[in-house]
Amino acid sequence: MAPRRAEEFPLKRVAALGCRLPSRLPAGEILTDITGNLWRLGNSIGCGGFGDVYLASNDIHKSVGQNTKYVIKIEPHNNGPLFVEMNFYIRAARKQMIDEWCKIQNLRQVGIPSYEGSGSHIYKNERYRFLVIPRYGQDVGKLFISNGRKLSKKLINSLAVQMLYALEYIHSKGYAHSDVKGSNILLKKNYDYSSELEKTRAFLVDYGLAYRFRTSNGAHKPFFHDERRAHEGTLEFTSRDAHHGTHSRRGDLETLGYNLLQWLCGKLPWEDDNGGLSPSANPDEIHDKKENYLLDVDSFMKACFQDKKPPENITNYMKYITNLKFESEPDYAYLRSLFRQDMSFESLFGKRKSFANENSAAIEKRNNRPNLRERKPCKPLNREIRITRNTPSSVEQDKEIDDFRWEEVLARHPDRLAKISAQPPSSPLTPPPSPPPPTLPTYAMLAVLQRMKERQTGLVRQRTNSKSSDNELKAKWMTPAMEEVALLRKKNQEQLDNNVNETKRLTRSRVAQLKRKRPSSGKQQESKNISNPNAFSCCAA
């Protein structure tokens, strides 16, 4: 089962199942990351089921104060979550990557911590893995509990918009967070619960369960029930897909929706009266409750808000998630527009060109403004008229539409037709196509070919040295050119043997001479040799 929230056990260090907690490192310990930068440890400020969190500074000559800008997460080298988190930061959360994405989105900042450093450290003959990230303030989970398990609507709207930006960035890099919850959302500063709190920036942290939902060739991984990762995450907020052991973009959005409902209502329908779940809660039962509730979103909203009227934005949000397919890309702009009511986000994100999209009401207001310049229809280009909403209609155009034929259009654009993929659409339950085999042999293939060649060569030598008359053994590795050369050598050898036999050809006088030299006991053998002249030639040789 998923570990409980850290704020519920502030003093007791409990290791997660299958993991062990590291030993406490002393303040002042110097760590060296993979780029050679030095970091000085401060006091421990938190712990989880896999490791500890320390204050840190890049100035190793001074003691680490409480106002330092960095923290370091440390885990034993055998634990896995920090290894996964380090890979996510290195692959997807470098400062340059975040800045480029914000520039494209016309934002000043997005709620993703930047990668500062990572590496390994040995302390008392034990090996540890560490990760350096910026330091932030209080997490939303503690703020939720300290405020009587309730947050204001303005703060919830602000957090929803900021987390949707953060999730959009993570998903653009091919990752799913898989564990969105209040204790993993940190505020920029330690504000008191006041009107300034809604303007504070929030950052999504803890990527120990980050999941790559795209393959190396860019294809989306299909839906697959994986018992090893089933019910992964925090059980209260685990998405229905995560209960099956698979993760996607819609799973992160569903998990965020559960958090929003908890902040609005105080607890979820499957939680206990005081909130949270008991340690003996059955993950399969929680999964069944979520499936049944989301079959009818309206009844789900009634179970959450009971006698109160549910907000329209959260209802539309959950309806959108339930209708979203597993591999579909969400409309983040539409989802953000649901929570932008009565909010001023220029102080958070900077000015944007437009926050609206096709699903928002801002376009209708823009079209009703009388001072906007009328757009002229596009001019014909390459004898093709581009039809826009402002293009004047005429009888000739209507006639052309009636006489429209696909054959003429396709005949006019053969290059476009060639670009249409002839492959059938893949089923969401079928795996993506495997990449084509390499054009050149690999080192392993070359080694196998070399061993085959050596075996064949050794076999040829063995048969050649065994005085066998079979010299026509052809190795499997011989090329056609090599076979031609071997055939020419064989013909030359045969011709040379014939010439030698002709020079040593037996005559009558030579036969008589040989008879006189041999004893009488060998007459029978001589008669055989006479009948076979080649035998004499062999003897003469």
Side-chain angles (χ1 to χ4, degrees):
M1 196 185 74
R4 305 266 60 82
R5 291 192 295 268
E7 62 267 19
E8 298 178 2
F9 305 98
L11 298 177
K12 188 176 180 180
R13 299 177 72 206
V14 179
L17 185 63
C19 300
R20 65 180 185 86
L21 292 175
S23 302
R24 292 285 190 182
L25 272 65
E29 187 79 6
I30 304 299
L31 283 68
T32 305
D33 63 16
I34 57 178
T35 59
N37 295 328
L38 301 178
W39 302 89
R40 185 185 180 99
L41 280 186
N43 298 325
S44 175
I45 60 174
C47 65
F50 304 99
D52 298 325
V53 182
Y54 295 83
L55 297 175
S57 174
N58 54 357
D59 188 357
I60 62 174
H61 302 291
K62 297 180 181 179
S63 59
V64 181
Q66 295 296 323
N67 296 325
T68 184
K69 298 181 179 179
Y70 305 100
V71 294
I72 290 183
K73 300 181 68 174
I74 297 179
E75 290 183 7
H77 215 271
N78 294 330
N79 288 3
L82 190 58
F83 174 78
V84 176
E85 188 169 8
M86 287 169 54
N87 274 273
F88 167 79
Y89 276 102
I90 293 173
R91 294 172 181 265
R94 293 181 178 271
K95 185 173 177 51
Q96 182 180 1
M97 299 178 182
I98 297 175
D99 293 341
E100 289 178 356
W101 190 84
C102 290
K103 185 177 180 181
I104 295 174
Q105 298 290 329
N106 199 17
L107 299 174
R108 286 191 304 182
Q109 197 172 12
V110 67
I112 302 294
S114 59
Y115 171 77
E116 301 294 338
S118 63
S120 298
H121 181 71
I122 298 177
Y123 177 73
K124 291 185 178 181
N125 297 327
E126 291 189 13
R127 193 176 185 86
Y128 298 96
R129 186 181 283 115
F130 68 91
L131 172 68
V132 187
I133 59 174
R135 184 191 179 190
Y136 303 108
Q138 188 179 21
D139 65 77
V140 177
K142 291 181 179 178
L143 182 65
F144 173 69
I145 293 177
S146 62
N147 195 54
R149 302 186 64 87
K150 210 74 175 231
L151 295 177
S152 67
K153 279 188 177 182
K154 287 188 177 182
L155 177 59
I156 294 173
N157 290 341
S158 175
L159 293 174
V161 174
Q162 293 187 70
M163 289 303 101
L164 286 170
Y165 273 121
L167 291 176
E168 183 179 5
Y169 174 81
I170 297 169
H171 298 165
S172 68
K173 301 301 180 181
Y175 282 88
H177 187 276
S178 308
D179 196 20
V180 181
K181 58 181 179 180
S183 57
N184 288 339
I185 301 174
L186 302 182
L187 302 178
K188 182 67 174 178
K189 294 180 181 180
N190 285 317
Y191 283 106
D192 295 330
Y193 191 75
S194 61
S195 60
E196 295 182 352
L197 189 60
E198 289 90 12
K199 300 180 181 180
T200 250
R201 295 192 185 100
F203 291 82
L204 184 60
V205 299
D206 197 351
Y207 297 87
L209 298 179
Y211 177 82
R212 295 192 71 178
F213 65 87
R214 292 197 182 278
T215 59
S216 57
N217 58 359
H220 196 294
K221 293 181 180 179
F223 182 90
F224 176 72
H225 180 83
D226 189 355
E227 196 65 32
R228 299 169 300 174
R229 303 191 63 168
H231 315 296
E232 198 172 48
T234 305
L235 193 56
E236 297 95 308
F237 314 110
T238 303
S239 67
R240 294 167 297 168
D241 293 332
H243 280 290
H244 287 284
T246 186
H247 301 275
S248 180
R249 293 170 286 192
R250 75 173 184 182
D252 279 347
L253 299 178
E254 181 180 333
T255 302
L256 177 61
Y258 294 150
N259 281 271
L260 299 176
L261 286 170
Q262 189 194 57
W263 298 338
L264 286 168
C265 307
K267 73 179 189 69
L268 295 167
W270 46 82
E271 288 186 300
D272 298 337
D273 294 336
N274 297 327
L277 295 174
S278 61
S280 60
N282 189 351
D284 292 322
E285 293 180 0
I286 303 300
H287 180 204
D288 293 339
K289 290 182 180 179
K290 293 175 182 177
E291 292 284 359
N292 294 330
Y293 274 120
L294 291 179
L295 289 176
D296 186 0
V297 176
D298 293 328
S299 62
F300 178 44
M301 293 295 108
K302 291 180 181 179
C304 291
F305 292 91
Q306 296 180 357
D307 298 335
K308 299 180 182 178
K309 183 180 179 181
E312 186 177 356
N313 54 1
I314 189 65
T315 303
N316 293 334
Y317 179 89
M318 295 306 299
K319 287 182 178 180
Y320 180 87
I321 300 304
T322 55
N323 294 325
L324 190 64
K325 295 183 179 180
F326 180 76
E327 298 182 6
S328 299
E329 181 180 1
D331 190 347
Y332 302 96
Y334 165 68
L335 296 176
R336 283 191 293 265
S337 67
L338 298 175
F339 301 95
R340 290 188 181 276
Q341 302 170 2
D342 301 328
M343 295 298 297
S344 176
F345 291 94
E346 293 184 0
S347 60
L348 288 174
F349 308 106
K351 293 183 178 180
R352 288 173 55 89
K353 295 179 180 179
S354 175
F355 287 117
N357 70 340
E358 295 177 355
N359 299 313
S360 62
I363 293 180
E364 297 179 2
K365 296 180 180 179
R366 183 183 62 191
N367 293 336
N368 294 331
R369 292 169 60 184
N371 296 328
L372 289 179
R373 179 176 60 88
E374 289 293 330
R375 299 180 61 182
K376 297 180 180 180
C378 300
K379 296 181 179 180
L381 184 62
N382 295 333
R383 297 182 179 180
E384 297 178 5
I385 300 178
R386 180 185 174 190
I387 301 176
T388 64
R389 70 182 68 181
N390 293 326
T391 304
S393 59
S394 62
V395 178
E396 295 180 358
Q397 291 180 356
D398 296 339
K399 184 178 180 181
E400 291 177 0
I401 294 175
D402 294 337
D403 297 335
F404 176 82
R405 293 182 181 180
W406 275 110
E407 292 81 359
E408 297 179 1
V409 176
L410 295 177
R412 202 181 306 164
H413 302 282
D415 55 335
R416 295 183 186 178
L417 181 62
K419 294 181 181 179
I420 299 176
S421 175
Q423 298 181 354
S426 59
S427 172
L429 298 179
T430 56
S434 58
T439 56
L440 297 178
T442 62
Y443 291 108
M445 296 169 63
L446 292 176
V448 173
L449 292 175
Q450 182 65 23
R451 287 197 295 269
M452 293 174 59
K453 182 177 179 181
E454 290 175 357
R455 290 197 196 99
Q456 295 294 336
T457 306
L459 186 60
V460 171
R461 291 176 180 174
Q462 182 180 0
R463 295 196 178 186
T464 304
N465 297 333
S466 63
K467 297 181 180 181
S468 174
S469 61
D470 185 11
N471 295 326
E472 298 180 357
L473 181 64
K474 183 177 67 174
K476 295 181 179 180
W477 51 267
M478 292 178 64
T479 62
M482 296 171 66
E483 292 179 4
E484 292 181 3
V485 173
L487 185 61
L488 289 176
R489 286 184 177 180
K490 180 181 177 181
K491 290 181 179 179
N492 293 335
Q493 186 66 32
E494 292 177 353
Q495 186 177 3
L496 182 61
D497 294 340
N498 294 333
N499 293 336
V500 171
N501 293 335
E502 289 178 0
T503 55
K504 296 183 179 181
R505 185 173 53 187
L506 292 177
T507 60
R508 293 180 180 178
S509 60
R510 185 170 177 79
V511 171
Q513 185 179 2
L514 290 174
K515 286 183 178 181
R516 287 194 296 269
K517 289 182 179 181
R518 289 182 176 276
S520 60
S521 61
K523 290 182 179 180
Q524 184 177 1
Q525 183 68 25
E526 289 177 3
S527 62
K528 292 181 180 180
N529 292 339
I530 292 173
S531 62
N532 186 7
N534 292 333
F536 287 102
S537 64
C538 293
C539 295

